[in-house]
Coordinates of all heavy atoms in Angstrom, one line a residue:
M155 N 72.3 101.9 101.6 CA 73.1 102.0 100.3 C 74.5 101.5 100.5 O 75.2 101.8 101.5 CB 73.1 103.6 100.0 CG 73.6 103.8 98.5 SD 73.2 105.5 98.1 CE 74.9 106.2 98.1
N156 N 74.9 100.7 99.5 CA 76.3 100.2 99.6 C 77.3 101.3 99.3 O 77.0 102.2 98.5 CB 76.5 99.1 98.6 CG 75.8 97.9 99.1 OD1 75.6 97.6 100.3 ND2 75.4 97.0 98.1
K157 N 78.4 101.3 99.9 CA 79.4 102.2 99.7 C 80.1 101.8 98.4 O 80.3 100.7 98.0 CB 80.5 102.2 100.8 CG 80.0 102.8 102.1 CD 81.1 102.8 103.1 CE 80.6 103.4 104.4 NZ 81.6 103.7 105.3
I158 N 80.7 102.9 97.7 CA 81.5 102.6 96.5 C 82.9 102.3 97.1 O 83.4 103.1 97.8 CB 81.5 103.8 95.6 CG1 80.1 103.9 94.9 CG2 82.6 103.6 94.5 CD1 80.0 105.1 94.0
K159 N 83.5 101.2 96.7 CA 84.8 100.9 97.2 C 85.9 101.2 96.1 O 85.8 100.8 94.9 CB 84.9 99.3 97.4 CG 84.0 98.9 98.6 CD 84.3 97.6 99.0 CE 83.6 97.1 100.2 NZ 82.1 97.1 99.9
V160 N 86.8 102.1 96.5 CA 87.8 102.5 95.7 C 89.1 101.9 96.2 O 89.4 101.9 97.4 CB 88.0 104.1 95.7 CG1 89.1 104.5 94.9 CG2 86.7 104.7 95.3
K161 N 89.8 101.2 95.3 CA 91.1 100.7 95.6 C 92.2 101.4 94.8 O 92.1 101.4 93.5 CB 91.2 99.2 95.3 CG 90.3 98.3 96.3 CD 90.6 96.9 96.0 CE 89.5 96.1 96.8 NZ 89.3 94.8 96.2
L162 N 93.2 101.8 95.5 CA 94.3 102.5 94.8 C 95.5 101.6 94.9 O 95.9 101.2 96.0 CB 94.6 103.8 95.5 CG 93.4 104.8 95.7 CD1 93.8 105.9 96.6 CD2 92.9 105.3 94.4
C163 N 96.1 101.3 93.7 CA 97.3 100.4 93.8 C 98.5 101.3 94.2 O 98.8 102.3 93.5 CB 97.5 99.8 92.4 SG 98.8 98.6 92.6
M164 N 99.2 100.8 95.1 CA 100.4 101.4 95.6 C 101.7 100.5 95.4 O 102.7 100.6 96.0 CB 100.4 101.8 97.1 CG 99.4 102.9 97.3 SD 99.8 104.4 96.5 CE 98.2 105.1 96.1
G165 N 101.4 99.5 94.5 CA 102.5 98.5 94.2 C 103.6 99.2 93.4 O 103.5 100.3 93.0
T166 N 104.7 98.5 93.3 CA 105.9 99.1 92.8 C 105.7 99.6 91.4 O 106.0 100.8 91.1 CB 107.1 98.1 92.8 OG1 107.1 97.5 94.0 CG2 108.4 98.7 92.4
T167 N 105.1 98.8 90.5 CA 104.9 99.2 89.1 C 104.1 100.5 89.0 O 104.3 101.4 88.3 CB 104.2 98.1 88.3 OG1 105.0 96.9 88.4 CG2 104.2 98.4 86.8
C168 N 102.9 100.4 89.7 CA 102.0 101.6 89.8 C 102.7 102.8 90.4 O 102.5 103.9 89.9 CB 100.7 101.2 90.4 SG 99.7 100.1 89.5
F169 N 103.4 102.6 91.4 CA 104.0 103.7 92.2 C 105.0 104.4 91.3 O 104.9 105.6 91.2 CB 104.7 103.2 93.4 CG 104.8 104.3 94.4 CD1 103.8 104.6 95.3 CD2 106.0 105.0 94.6 CE1 103.9 105.6 96.2 CE2 106.2 106.0 95.5 CZ 105.1 106.3 96.4
V170 N 105.8 103.7 90.5 CA 106.8 104.4 89.7 C 106.1 105.0 88.5 O 106.6 106.0 87.9 CB 107.9 103.5 89.2 CG1 108.8 103.0 90.3 CG2 107.5 102.3 88.3
M171 N 104.9 104.5 88.1 CA 104.2 105.1 87.0 C 103.3 106.2 87.5 O 102.5 106.8 86.7 CB 103.3 104.1 86.3 CG 104.1 103.0 85.7 SD 105.1 103.4 84.3 CE 103.9 103.5 83.0
G172 N 103.4 106.7 88.7 CA 102.6 107.9 89.1 C 101.6 107.7 90.2 O 100.8 108.6 90.4
A173 N 101.5 106.5 90.8 CA 100.4 106.3 91.8 C 100.6 107.1 93.0 O 99.7 107.2 93.8 CB 100.3 104.8 92.1
S174 N 101.8 107.7 93.3 CA 102.0 108.5 94.5 C 101.0 109.6 94.5 O 100.5 110.0 95.6 CB 103.5 108.9 94.6 OG 103.8 109.7 93.4
E175 N 100.7 110.1 93.4 CA 99.7 111.2 93.3 C 98.4 110.7 93.7 O 97.6 111.5 94.3 CB 99.7 111.7 91.8 CG 98.7 112.7 91.5 CD 98.2 112.7 90.0 OE1 99.0 112.3 89.2 OE2 97.1 113.2 89.7
L176 N 98.1 109.5 93.5 CA 96.7 109.0 93.8 C 96.5 108.9 95.3 O 95.4 108.8 95.8 CB 96.5 107.6 93.3 CG 96.6 107.4 91.7 CD1 96.5 106.0 91.3 CD2 95.6 108.3 91.0
Q177 N 97.6 108.9 96.1 CA 97.4 108.8 97.6 C 96.6 110.1 98.1 O 95.9 109.9 99.1 CB 98.8 108.9 98.2 CG 99.3 107.5 98.5 CD 100.7 107.5 99.0 OE1 101.5 108.3 98.7 NE2 101.0 106.6 99.9
E178 N 96.6 111.2 97.4 CA 95.8 112.3 97.7 C 94.3 111.9 97.8 O 93.6 112.6 98.6 CB 95.9 113.4 96.7 CG 97.2 114.1 96.6 CD 97.3 115.1 95.5 OE1 96.2 115.6 95.1 OE2 98.4 115.3 95.0
L179 N 93.9 111.0 97.1 CA 92.6 110.5 97.1 C 92.1 110.0 98.4 O 90.9 110.0 98.7 CB 92.3 109.5 96.0 CG 92.3 110.0 94.5 CD1 92.4 108.9 93.6 CD2 91.0 110.8 94.3
V180 N 93.0 109.5 99.2 CA 92.6 109.0 100.5 C 92.0 110.1 101.4 O 91.2 109.8 102.2 CB 93.9 108.4 101.3 CG1 93.6 108.0 102.7 CG2 94.5 107.2 100.4
D181 N 92.4 111.4 101.2 CA 91.8 112.5 101.8 C 90.7 113.1 101.0 O 89.6 113.5 101.5 CB 92.8 113.6 102.1 CG 93.9 113.1 103.1 OD1 93.6 112.4 104.0 OD2 95.1 113.5 102.9
I182 N 90.9 113.2 99.7 CA 90.0 113.9 98.8 C 88.6 113.2 98.8 O 87.6 113.9 98.9 CB 90.5 114.1 97.4 CG1 91.8 115.0 97.4 CG2 89.5 114.7 96.5 CD1 92.5 115.1 96.1
L183 N 88.6 111.9 98.6 CA 87.4 111.2 98.4 C 86.4 111.3 99.6 O 85.3 111.7 99.4 CB 87.6 109.7 98.0 CG 88.2 109.6 96.6 CD1 88.5 108.1 96.3 CD2 87.3 110.1 95.5
P184 N 86.9 111.1 100.8 CA 86.0 111.2 101.9 C 85.5 112.6 102.1 O 84.3 112.9 102.5 CB 86.8 110.7 103.2 CG 87.9 109.9 102.6 CD 88.2 110.5 101.3
E185 N 86.4 113.6 101.8 CA 86.0 115.0 102.0 C 84.9 115.4 101.0 O 83.9 116.1 101.2 CB 87.2 116.0 101.6 CG 88.0 116.3 102.9 CD 89.3 116.9 102.4 OE1 89.4 117.5 101.3 OE2 90.3 116.8 103.2
K186 N 85.0 114.8 99.8 CA 84.1 115.1 98.7 C 82.8 114.3 98.8 O 81.7 114.8 98.5 CB 84.8 114.9 97.4 CG 84.3 115.7 96.2 CD 85.3 115.5 95.0 CE 84.7 115.8 93.7 NZ 84.2 117.1 93.5
F187 N 82.9 113.1 99.1 CA 81.7 112.1 99.0 C 81.3 111.6 100.3 O 80.3 110.8 100.4 CB 82.0 111.0 98.1 CG 82.4 111.4 96.6 CD1 83.7 111.3 96.2 CD2 81.4 112.0 95.8 CE1 84.0 111.7 94.9 CE2 81.7 112.4 94.5 CZ 83.1 112.3 94.0
G188 N 81.9 112.0 101.4 CA 81.5 111.6 102.8 C 81.6 110.0 102.9 O 82.5 109.4 102.3
D189 N 80.5 109.5 103.5 CA 80.6 108.0 103.8 C 80.0 107.2 102.6 O 79.7 106.1 102.7 CB 79.9 107.7 105.0 CG 78.4 108.1 105.1 OD1 78.0 108.6 104.0 OD2 77.8 108.0 106.1
K190 N 79.9 107.9 101.4 CA 79.4 107.1 100.2 C 80.6 106.3 99.6 O 80.3 105.4 98.8 CB 78.9 108.1 99.2 CG 77.6 108.7 99.6 CD 77.0 109.6 98.5 CE 75.9 110.5 99.0 NZ 76.0 111.8 98.5
V191 N 81.8 106.6 100.0 CA 82.9 105.9 99.4 C 83.8 105.4 100.6 O 83.9 105.9 101.6 CB 83.8 106.8 98.6 CG1 83.2 107.1 97.2 CG2 84.2 108.1 99.2
E192 N 84.5 104.3 100.2 CA 85.4 103.7 101.1 C 86.8 103.6 100.3 O 86.7 103.0 99.2 CB 85.0 102.4 101.5 CG 85.7 101.6 102.6 CD 85.1 100.3 102.8 OE1 83.8 100.2 103.2 OE2 85.8 99.3 102.6
V193 N 87.9 104.1 100.8 CA 89.1 104.1 100.0 C 90.1 103.1 100.7 O 90.2 103.1 101.9 CB 89.8 105.5 100.0 CG1 90.9 105.5 98.9 CG2 88.8 106.5 99.7
Q194 N 90.7 102.3 99.9 CA 91.8 101.4 100.4 C 93.0 101.5 99.5 O 92.8 101.7 98.3 CB 91.3 100.0 100.3 CG 90.2 99.6 101.2 CD 89.8 98.2 101.0 OE1 90.2 97.5 100.0 NE2 88.9 97.7 101.9
C195 N 94.1 101.3 100.0 CA 95.4 101.2 99.2 C 95.7 99.7 99.1 O 95.6 99.0 100.1 CB 96.5 102.0 99.8 SG 96.1 103.8 99.8
A196 N 96.1 99.3 97.9 CA 96.5 97.9 97.8 C 97.9 97.8 97.4 O 98.5 98.7 96.8 CB 95.6 97.3 96.7
T197 N 98.5 96.7 97.7 CA 100.0 96.5 97.4 C 100.1 96.2 95.9 O 101.1 96.6 95.3 CB 100.6 95.5 98.3 OG1 99.7 94.3 98.4 CG2 100.9 96.0 99.6
C198 N 99.2 95.4 95.4 CA 99.2 95.2 93.9 C 97.9 94.6 93.6 O 97.4 93.7 94.3 CB 100.3 94.2 93.5 SG 100.3 93.7 91.8
L199 N 97.2 95.2 92.6 CA 95.8 94.7 92.2 C 95.9 93.6 91.2 O 94.9 93.2 90.6 CB 95.1 95.9 91.7 CG 94.7 97.0 92.7 CD1 94.1 98.2 91.9 CD2 93.8 96.5 93.7
D200 N 97.2 93.1 90.9 CA 97.4 92.1 89.9 C 96.9 92.4 88.5 O 96.5 91.6 87.7 CB 96.6 90.8 90.3 CG 97.5 90.0 91.4 OD1 98.7 90.2 91.4 OD2 96.8 89.4 92.3
L201 N 97.0 93.7 88.3 CA 96.6 94.2 86.9 C 97.9 94.5 86.1 O 97.9 94.5 84.8 CB 95.8 95.4 87.0 CG 94.4 95.2 87.7 CD1 93.8 96.6 88.1 CD2 93.5 94.4 86.7
C202 N 99.0 94.8 86.7 CA 100.2 95.2 86.1 C 100.8 94.1 85.2 O 101.5 94.3 84.3 CB 101.2 95.8 87.0 SG 101.6 94.6 88.4
S203 N 100.5 92.9 85.6 CA 101.0 91.7 84.8 C 100.2 91.4 83.6 O 100.6 90.7 82.7 CB 101.0 90.5 85.7 OG 99.8 90.3 86.3
S204 N 99.0 92.0 83.4 CA 98.2 91.7 82.3 C 98.1 92.9 81.3 O 97.6 94.0 81.7 CB 96.8 91.3 82.7 OG 95.8 92.1 82.2
S205 N 98.6 92.8 80.2 CA 98.7 93.9 79.3 C 97.4 94.3 78.7 O 97.1 95.4 78.1 CB 99.7 93.6 78.1 OG 99.3 92.3 77.5
S206 N 96.3 93.4 78.8 CA 95.1 93.7 78.3 C 94.3 94.8 79.1 O 93.3 95.3 78.7 CB 94.2 92.4 78.3 OG 94.0 91.9 79.6
E207 N 94.8 95.1 80.3 CA 94.1 96.1 81.1 C 94.7 97.5 81.0 O 94.5 98.3 81.9 CB 94.2 95.6 82.6 CG 93.4 94.3 82.9 CD 91.9 94.5 82.8 OE1 91.4 95.6 82.6 OE2 91.2 93.5 83.0
G208 N 95.5 97.8 80.0 CA 95.9 99.1 79.8 C 97.2 99.3 80.6 O 98.0 98.4 80.6
Q209 N 97.4 100.5 81.1 CA 98.7 100.9 81.7 C 98.6 101.3 83.1 O 97.6 101.9 83.5 CB 99.3 102.0 80.9 CG 100.3 101.7 79.9 CD 100.8 102.9 79.2 OE1 101.1 103.9 79.8 NE2 101.0 102.8 77.8
A210 N 99.6 101.1 83.8 CA 99.8 101.5 85.2 C 99.8 103.1 85.2 O 100.2 103.6 84.2 CB 101.0 101.0 85.9
P211 N 99.5 103.8 86.3 CA 98.9 103.2 87.6 C 97.4 102.8 87.4 O 96.7 103.4 86.7 CB 99.1 104.4 88.5 CG 99.0 105.6 87.7 CD 99.6 105.2 86.4
Y212 N 97.1 101.8 88.3 CA 95.7 101.3 88.2 C 95.0 101.7 89.5 O 95.6 101.8 90.6 CB 95.8 99.8 88.2 CG 96.3 99.3 86.9 CD1 97.6 98.8 86.8 CD2 95.5 99.3 85.7 CE1 98.1 98.3 85.6 CE2 96.0 98.8 84.6 CZ 97.3 98.3 84.5 OH 97.7 97.9 83.3
A213 N 93.7 101.8 89.4 CA 92.8 102.0 90.5 C 91.6 101.2 90.1 O 91.3 100.9 89.0 CB 92.4 103.4 90.7
M214 N 90.8 100.8 91.1 CA 89.5 100.2 90.9 C 88.4 100.9 91.6 O 88.6 101.3 92.8 CB 89.5 98.7 91.3 CG 90.3 97.8 90.3 SD 90.2 96.1 90.8 CE 88.5 95.7 90.2
V215 N 87.3 101.1 91.0 CA 86.1 101.7 91.6 C 85.1 100.7 91.5 O 84.6 100.4 90.4 CB 85.7 103.0 90.8 CG1 84.5 103.6 91.5 CG2 86.9 104.1 90.9
D216 N 84.8 100.1 92.6 CA 84.0 98.8 92.6 C 84.6 97.8 91.6 O 85.8 97.5 91.8 CB 82.5 99.1 92.3 CG 81.7 99.7 93.5 OD1 82.3 99.5 94.6 OD2 80.7 100.3 93.3
Y217 N 84.0 97.4 90.6 CA 84.6 96.4 89.7 C 85.1 97.0 88.5 O 85.5 96.3 87.5 CB 83.6 95.2 89.4 CG 83.3 94.5 90.7 CD1 82.1 94.7 91.3 CD2 84.2 93.7 91.3 CE1 81.7 94.1 92.5 CE2 83.9 93.0 92.4 CZ 82.7 93.2 93.1 OH 82.4 92.6 94.2
T218 N 85.2 98.4 88.4 CA 85.7 99.0 87.2 C 87.2 99.3 87.3 O 87.6 99.9 88.3 CB 84.9 100.3 86.9 OG1 83.5 100.1 86.9 CG2 85.3 100.9 85.6
V219 N 87.9 98.8 86.4 CA 89.4 99.0 86.4 C 89.7 100.4 85.7 O 89.1 100.6 84.6 CB 90.1 97.9 85.6 CG1 91.6 98.3 85.5 CG2 89.9 96.6 86.3
I220 N 90.4 101.2 86.3 CA 90.9 102.4 85.7 C 92.4 102.3 85.5 O 93.1 102.2 86.4 CB 90.6 103.6 86.6 CG1 89.0 103.7 86.9 CG2 91.0 104.9 85.9 CD1 88.7 104.8 87.8
S221 N 92.7 102.4 84.2 CA 94.2 102.3 83.9 C 94.6 103.8 83.7 O 93.8 104.7 83.4 CB 94.4 101.5 82.7 OG 93.9 102.0 81.6
K222 N 96.0 104.0 83.8 CA 96.6 105.3 83.7 C 95.8 106.3 84.7 O 95.4 107.3 84.3 CB 96.5 105.9 82.3 CG 97.4 105.2 81.4 CD 97.5 106.0 80.1 CE 98.0 105.3 79.0 NZ 97.9 105.9 77.7
A223 N 95.5 105.7 85.9 CA 94.6 106.5 86.8 C 95.2 107.8 87.2 O 96.4 107.9 87.4 CB 94.3 105.6 88.0
T224 N 94.3 108.8 87.4 CA 94.7 110.1 87.9 C 93.7 110.4 88.9 O 92.6 109.8 89.0 CB 94.7 111.2 86.8 OG1 93.3 111.3 86.3 CG2 95.6 110.9 85.6
V225 N 94.0 111.5 89.7 CA 93.0 111.9 90.7 C 91.7 112.2 90.1 O 90.6 111.8 90.5 CB 93.6 113.1 91.5 CG1 92.6 113.8 92.3 CG2 94.8 112.7 92.4
E226 N 91.8 112.9 89.0 CA 90.6 113.3 88.3 C 89.8 112.1 87.7 O 88.6 112.1 87.8 CB 91.0 114.2 87.1 CG 89.9 115.1 86.7 CD 90.3 116.0 85.5 OE1 91.4 115.8 84.9 OE2 89.6 117.0 85.3
S227 N 90.5 111.2 87.1 CA 89.7 110.1 86.5 C 89.1 109.2 87.5 O 88.0 108.6 87.3 CB 90.6 109.2 85.5 OG 91.7 108.6 86.2
V228 N 89.7 109.1 88.7 CA 89.1 108.3 89.8 C 87.8 109.0 90.3 O 86.8 108.5 90.5 CB 90.0 107.9 90.9 CG1 89.4 107.3 92.0 CG2 91.2 107.0 90.4
I229 N 88.0 110.3 90.5 CA 86.8 111.1 91.0 C 85.7 111.1 90.0 O 84.5 110.9 90.3 CB 87.2 112.6 91.2 CG1 88.1 112.6 92.5 CG2 86.0 113.5 91.4 CD1 88.7 114.0 92.7
N230 N 86.0 111.2 88.7 CA 85.0 111.1 87.6 C 84.2 109.8 87.7 O 83.0 109.8 87.5 CB 85.6 111.3 86.2 CG 86.0 112.7 86.0 OD1 85.6 113.6 86.7 ND2 86.8 113.0 85.0
E231 N 84.9 108.7 87.9 CA 84.3 107.4 87.9 C 83.4 107.3 89.1 O 82.3 106.7 89.0 CB 85.4 106.3 87.8 CG 84.8 104.9 87.8 CD 84.0 104.6 86.6 OE1 84.1 105.3 85.5 OE2 83.1 103.7 86.6
V232 N 83.8 107.8 90.3 CA 83.0 107.7 91.4 C 81.7 108.5 91.2 O 80.6 108.1 91.5 CB 83.8 108.3 92.7 CG1 82.8 108.4 93.9 CG2 84.9 107.3 93.0
E233 N 81.9 109.7 90.6 CA 80.7 110.6 90.3 C 79.7 109.8 89.4 O 78.6 109.9 89.5 CB 81.1 111.9 89.8 CG 81.6 112.8 90.8 CD 82.1 114.2 90.3 OE1 82.5 114.2 89.1 OE2 82.2 115.1 91.2
R234 N 80.3 109.2 88.4 CA 79.5 108.6 87.4 C 78.7 107.4 88.1 O 77.5 107.2 87.9 CB 80.4 107.9 86.3 CG 79.7 107.6 85.0 CD 80.6 107.0 84.0 NE 81.1 105.7 84.4 CZ 80.4 104.5 84.3 NH1 79.3 104.6 83.7 NH2 80.9 103.4 84.8
K235 N 79.4 106.6 88.9 CA 78.7 105.5 89.6 C 77.6 106.0 90.6 O 76.5 105.5 90.6 CB 79.7 104.7 90.4 CG 80.4 103.7 89.5 CD 81.0 102.6 90.2 CE 81.9 101.7 89.5 NZ 81.5 101.2 88.2
L236 N 77.9 107.2 91.3 CA 76.9 107.7 92.1 C 75.7 108.2 91.3 O 74.5 108.0 91.8 CB 77.5 108.9 93.0 CG 78.4 108.5 94.1 CD1 79.1 109.8 94.7 CD2 77.8 107.7 95.2
K237 N 75.9 108.8 90.2 CA 74.8 109.3 89.4 C 74.0 108.1 88.9 O 72.8 108.2 88.7 CB 75.4 110.1 88.2 CG 74.5 111.2 87.9 CD 74.9 112.3 87.1 CE 76.0 112.2 86.1 NZ 76.6 113.2 85.3
N238 N 74.7 107.0 88.5 CA 73.9 105.9 87.9 C 73.4 104.9 88.9 O 73.1 103.8 88.7 CB 74.9 105.1 87.0 CG 75.3 105.9 85.7 OD1 74.7 106.9 85.5 ND2 76.3 105.4 85.1
G239 N 73.4 105.4 90.2 CA 72.9 104.5 91.2 C 73.7 103.3 91.4 O 73.2 102.3 91.7
Q240 N 75.0 103.4 91.2 CA 75.9 102.3 91.5 C 75.8 101.1 90.6 O 76.4 100.1 91.0 CB 75.9 101.9 92.9 CG 76.3 103.0 93.9 CD 76.5 102.6 95.3 OE1 75.8 101.6 95.7 NE2 77.4 103.2 96.0
E241 N 75.0 101.2 89.5 CA 74.9 100.0 88.6 C 74.7 98.6 89.3 O 75.6 98.1 89.8 CB 76.1 99.9 87.7 CG 76.2 101.0 86.8 CD 77.6 101.2 86.3 OE1 78.4 100.3 86.2 OE2 78.0 102.4 86.0
Ligands
LIG76 S1 101.6 97.2 91.0 FE1 99.7 98.1 90.6 S2 98.5 96.4 89.7 FE2 100.5 95.5 90.2

């Protein structure tokens, strides 16, 4: 089974918009989902420059962009993908 890849943006724009809270996911996701997920922090996901993708902070769960990401919304998306067999 492929792991779900979570990327958390820690770039300046996302960081000032609240991404510092998302850093908690680096510990929470492996505790909650074990080796089904892989978490990475990115310096910029190149989403902050495109207004069509919503608002910072951004995270990506596989190829799904999460705008205004929160700890909860990222966990919900991982759960949704696990339930749907990763689409
Ligand atoms: S700083 Fe987060 S997408 Fe650019």
Side-chain angles (χ1 to χ4, degrees):
M155 191 166 112
N156 287 333
K157 290 184 181 191
I158 292 181
K159 291 193 180 58
V160 178
K161 287 189 194 156
L162 307 171
C163 185
M164 294 295 147
T166 314
T167 309
C168 289
F169 203 82
V170 296
M171 297 293 280
S174 54
E175 174 204 338
L176 300 178
Q177 266 174 325
E178 288 174 29
L179 286 164
V180 173
D181 295 322
I182 297 173
L183 290 176
E185 273 166 24
K186 204 167 159 62
F187 301 108
D189 59 4
K190 292 184 193 136
V191 285
E192 188 182 301
V193 194
Q194 290 174 353
C195 293
T197 43
C198 177
L199 295 171
D200 281 329
L201 296 163
C202 52
S203 51
S204 122
S205 54
S206 61
E207 295 288 359
Q209 261 183 42
Y212 294 101
M214 282 185 78
V215 179
D216 283 341
Y217 296 102
T218 307
V219 173
I220 302 179
S221 65
K222 291 194 197 164
T224 60
V225 168
E226 202 181 15
S227 65
V228 173
I229 289 174
N230 285 346
E231 183 61 24
V232 171
E233 278 175 344
R234 199 183 65 82
K235 283 207 191 304
L236 285 173
K237 213 167 28 191
N238 293 348
Q240 297 189 328
E241 292 157 30

